[in-house]
């Protein structure tokens, strides 16, 4: 059964091409999203690991970011993922899913949540606080 094995909010994700294949580097993991103003735009990235994939080969994944009132601020829509038997064997049934979110409109402070759906079932929800950044102008 497919499940979320890892989930991280971060500033960005760099991809380095190596002789062993692409290597992902998470830049500045985040504990809070801190836009300069609310409402305002904010950019961040999400890295999500999914394990327990079987040889059926076809999955849908969807991520929805909701505000404290459960109003969606971002929705990927359903993303179809087709795996081959070889890919499942080589990855031991695991998939790394990285999402780069640019200029997402955040309208209010408070606890936001990213809900991850696999095959239309909620596999997990991951909370993060949104706080207006304090700016000291001298």
């Amino acid at each position: 059964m497919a499940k979320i094995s890892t989930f991280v909010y971060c500033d960005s994700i760099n991809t380095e091409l190596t002789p062993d294949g692409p290597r992902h580097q998470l830049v500045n993991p985040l504990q809070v999203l801190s836009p300069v103003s609310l409402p305002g735009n904010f950019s961040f990235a999400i890295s999500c690991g999914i394990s327990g994939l079987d040889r059926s080969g076809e999955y849908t994944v969807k991520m929805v970011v909701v505000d404290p009132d459960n109003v969606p601020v971002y929705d990927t829509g359903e993303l179809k993922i087709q795996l081959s038997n070889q890919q499942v064997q080589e990855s031991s049934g695991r998939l790394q899913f990285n999402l780069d979110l640019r200029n997402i409109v955040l309208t209010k402070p408070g606890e936001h949540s990213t809900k991850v759906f696999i095959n239309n079932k909620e596999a997990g929800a991951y909370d993060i606080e949104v706080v207006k950044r304090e700016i000291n102008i001298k």
Side-chain angles (χ1 to χ4, degrees):
M1 181 166 132
K3 66 179 185 174
I4 306 300
S5 56
T6 60
F7 189 95
V8 177
Y9 291 99
C10 56
D11 273 340
S12 63
I13 301 170
N14 293 336
T15 302
E16 177 185 355
L17 299 178
T18 70
D20 296 326
R23 186 174 181 182
H24 305 287
Q25 181 179 36
L26 305 181
V27 178
N28 192 28
L30 298 172
Q31 299 299 314
V32 66
L33 303 180
S34 55
V36 173
S37 63
L38 287 169
N41 295 5
F42 195 74
S43 297
F44 59 98
I46 293 171
S47 181
C48 179
I50 300 173
S51 64
L53 301 173
D54 61 29
R55 289 179 172 79
S56 68
E58 189 170 306
Y59 293 89
T60 59
V61 176
K62 178 178 176 178
M63 288 190 185
V64 181
V65 180
V66 297
D67 73 9
D69 298 323
N70 209 34
V71 175
V73 296
Y74 183 81
D75 185 337
T76 63
E78 286 191 359
L79 306 171
K80 292 189 187 285
I81 298 171
Q82 182 109 24
L83 300 174
S84 69
N85 284 341
Q86 182 181 356
Q87 287 172 313
V88 172
Q89 288 172 347
E90 289 174 358
S91 67
S92 301
R94 295 186 187 103
L95 173 69
Q96 185 69 35
F97 188 88
N98 296 326
L99 188 61
D100 191 27
L101 303 171
R102 297 289 142 210
N103 296 312
I104 301 303
V105 177
L106 300 173
T107 59
K108 59 181 69 172
E111 191 170 275
H112 286 57
S113 184
T114 301
K115 297 178 181 184
V116 182
F117 298 87
I118 301 172
N119 292 342
N120 299 314
K121 290 184 180 180
E122 187 173 322
Y126 303 89
D127 299 334
I128 191 161
E129 194 75 19
V130 172
V131 178
K132 182 178 176 259
R133 184 183 323 162
E134 296 295 325
I135 299 177
N136 294 325
I137 300 175
K138 295 182 183 185

